[in-house]
Amino acid sequence: MARETWATRAGFILAAAGSAVGLGNIWRFPWVTADNGGSAFLAVYLGIVLLVGVPGLLGEFVIGRRGQKSPAGALRDLSGSRAWGVWGVFYVITAIALISFYSVVGGWILRYFGESALGVVGTQPTYFAAPGQYFGSVAAGPDAFGFHLLFLALTALVVFAGVRRGIELGTKVMMPAVLVLLVGLAVWAGSRPGAAEAYAFYLAFDVATVRANFFDVLGPAAGQALFTLSLGAGTMITYASYIDEDRSLPFDATVIATLNTLVGVLAGLVVFPLLFSLGVDPSQTSPGPGALFVGLAGAFAQLPGGAVVATAFFGVVVLAALSSSISMLEIPVSFLVDEYGLGRRPAVGLVAAGVVVTGGVCAFNPTIAGTAVFGFVAGPLVDTLLTVGLVAVLLFVGWVMGRDALAELRSGAGNLSAAVATPWLLAVGVVLPTFLVFTLLTTFGVDADLGFWPTALVAVAIGAAAVAGLRTERALV
Ligand code: PHE
């Protein structure tokens, strides 16, 4: 059977942008920003998206389009080594970890969407009365499990319908809807009293703060950049494997990163004015999983016409989350289809059945060895998996593919790509992995023991050794 492909070029861009735009932009981004000093974080984050995100996206695209297989098969075929094929299973595991907590959050969103809509037709939704208490009562347990199943079923339905008739068609509708609704909401939020104050908090660019906090925000900013661009999970490898024509990958990567950033910034333009208009100081509100559901839901409850706005808002989030969760489910599905010759439908059934269980564990959120499962999976586990996953991808592109990666990048990309190709390969093979390992160490607090200069020295040494190695190995530079 012929491998499925995207029907149109816009189809690939929208599917990949749909994967990127998700809870990371709307649920995580505004709060991580607020928690890490607002504009200072924003500046570092934007820098990482541009300097790590776009080259990283290109790395995954190059593997996917050249390999024409899901991560395990692509890594194995392109390297000719079974070991890389085994490593590909890492991405299947990452995808399952991702969707396990994502589907639970998606379930919360579905519930809040439904309740808001009921509020519009006159049945007062329950979360309006006491948002904090209410969220506490539905976030974990049978309620959370039920809505997790519902969200998972919706996700599975789209993936079940296939690349063209499911993912491509779905994201072609979802992505524009998200953009239009968010712009509308942002305009409306801008008319609220307190909006000016909110913009000042959110957008004021303060060089001194950036400088003072640079190393503190580096880890969270890198984690957020990878998560929001769907990097390190093999999603972009998988989606790029459905490209069957040569077109400019750098162009596509830039469009996707831009769209994704736009949605993140727009979401902030909705969230912050709403909070400020009610006198909630975001830097004083504790972030975390419940933030959107407690802080914002509280705002909707107090605003005139709040139920209508809430319906639109949670509607946006449902669509954005769904277009991301389908890209997570597609990773293990394409693995089973490519590697074991399973049909798409049984593959979806098998993976979904597994996620019913793994997501169920997140939904009931037991405490194992003193750690609550949900927070661990959604935070440190996923951050680490994505970072390690991306480092492997980058090293693969730089050291295993080498010249092939350059050729793949340039194919269909016009003259500009000739100028950026070699610097890109050097960045991907050396600079970015070094940087990511560094952020991983800061996340684990290793730099605290080592001190800044020794850490920097080690980083530089690794970089220099890598450049030297790349020179002799591949005679590239
Ligand atoms: N980028 C998605 C979001 O921001 C999350 C995601 C991560 C999706 C990794 C796929 C792979 O919500």
Side-chain angles (χ1 to χ4, degrees):
M1 211 175 71
R3 190 175 164 79
E4 292 177 276
T5 56
W6 305 110
T8 61
R9 175 169 191 170
F12 165 67
I13 295 188
L14 286 177
S19 167
V21 169
L23 295 171
N25 305 64
I26 306 176
W27 169 64
R28 208 167 179 243
F29 176 73
W31 294 96
V32 178
T33 305
D35 197 34
N36 286 288
S39 58
F41 176 83
L42 194 64
V44 178
Y45 162 82
L46 287 178
I48 296 181
V49 165
L50 193 70
L51 297 173
V52 182
V54 175
L57 273 177
L58 276 173
E60 293 211 11
F61 287 171
V62 159
I63 296 178
R65 190 173 71 177
R66 197 158 189 99
Q68 294 286 305
K69 285 230 171 75
S70 55
L75 294 176
R76 183 196 55 231
D77 291 357
L78 293 175
S79 67
S81 140
R82 284 181 59 88
W84 274 106
V86 174
W87 173 254
V89 177
F90 179 86
Y91 299 100
V92 174
I93 295 168
T94 301
I96 304 244
L98 277 166
I99 197 170
S100 298
F101 89 88
Y102 211 82
S103 177
V104 174
V105 183
W108 297 342
I109 308 265
L110 266 183
R111 167 185 211 115
Y112 276 63
F113 170 69
E115 291 188 356
S116 310
L118 286 179
V120 175
V121 297
T123 326
Q124 187 71 356
T126 29
Y127 80 77
F128 270 43
Q133 210 182 0
Y134 184 73
F135 182 71
S137 70
V138 298
D143 271 274
F145 183 63
F147 279 91
H148 147 62
L149 291 186
L150 195 62
F151 186 82
L152 182 63
L154 287 177
T155 305
L157 215 64
V158 179
V159 178
F160 198 77
V163 173
R164 286 192 184 185
R165 286 185 28 233
I167 302 175
E168 184 165 352
L169 196 66
T171 46
K172 252 186 191 158
V173 177
M174 290 189 248
M175 274 307 293
V178 166
L179 277 174
V180 170
L181 282 170
L182 259 188
V183 170
L185 282 167
V187 169
W188 177 83
S191 71
R192 305 288 316 157
E197 217 187 317
Y199 294 154
F201 165 79
Y202 180 43
L203 297 174
F205 184 70
D206 180 354
V207 184
T209 324
V210 178
R211 227 185 255 159
N213 296 305
F214 189 73
F215 287 99
D216 291 334
V217 300
L218 211 52
Q224 173 64 15
L226 297 202
F227 184 81
T228 188
L229 285 172
S230 309
L231 278 176
T235 302
M236 295 302 184
I237 297 180
T238 309
Y239 273 13
S241 75
Y242 299 131
I243 302 177
D244 66 342
E245 53 181 327
D246 279 350
R247 66 240 201 142
S248 173
L249 294 178
F251 176 82
D252 290 2
T254 312
V255 172
I256 291 159
T258 308
L259 270 177
N260 182 60
T261 305
L262 194 72
V263 171
V265 172
L266 269 176
L269 292 180
V270 176
V271 172
F272 289 117
L274 277 180
L275 295 178
F276 271 86
S277 75
L278 294 166
V280 182
D281 180 350
S283 58
Q284 298 302 312
T285 319
S286 84
L292 191 70
F293 302 92
V294 179
L296 261 198
F300 293 139
Q302 290 177 47
L303 291 170
V308 178
V309 184
T311 310
F313 180 80
F314 285 115
V316 168
V317 190
V318 167
L319 293 179
L322 209 54
S323 64
S324 298
S325 63
I326 57 180
S327 77
M328 298 170 182
L329 193 64
E330 180 65 17
I331 301 167
V333 167
S334 67
F335 172 74
L336 292 176
V337 172
D338 286 346
E339 298 301 305
Y340 296 98
L342 228 62
R344 167 169 288 271
R345 293 176 175 191
V348 172
L350 203 66
V351 178
V355 177
V356 166
V357 179
T358 55
V361 177
C362 288
F364 283 97
N365 193 19
T367 300
I368 298 172
T371 313
V373 167
F374 179 92
F376 174 70
V377 176
L381 180 67
V382 157
D383 274 352
T384 308
L385 290 177
L386 291 181
T387 309
V388 172
L390 186 61
V391 167
V393 159
L394 296 174
L395 292 176
F396 185 87
V397 170
W399 298 87
V400 179
M401 289 181 77
R403 284 182 184 285
D404 290 348
L406 285 182
E408 189 61 38
L409 180 83
R410 291 181 59 175
S411 138
N415 290 335
L416 188 65
S417 69
V420 298
T422 306
W424 167 75
L425 195 66
L426 203 64
V428 159
V430 180
V431 184
L432 301 188
T434 310
F435 170 77
L436 288 173
V437 169
F438 179 73
T439 65
L440 206 59
L441 293 180
T442 63
T443 310
F444 286 125
V446 174
D447 64 332
D449 307 329
L450 219 59
F452 171 71
W453 286 112
T455 313
L457 211 66
V458 172
V460 170
I462 295 171
V467 175
L470 201 60
R471 271 191 116 120
T472 49
E473 275 294 309
R474 291 259 154 194
L476 271 173
V477 270

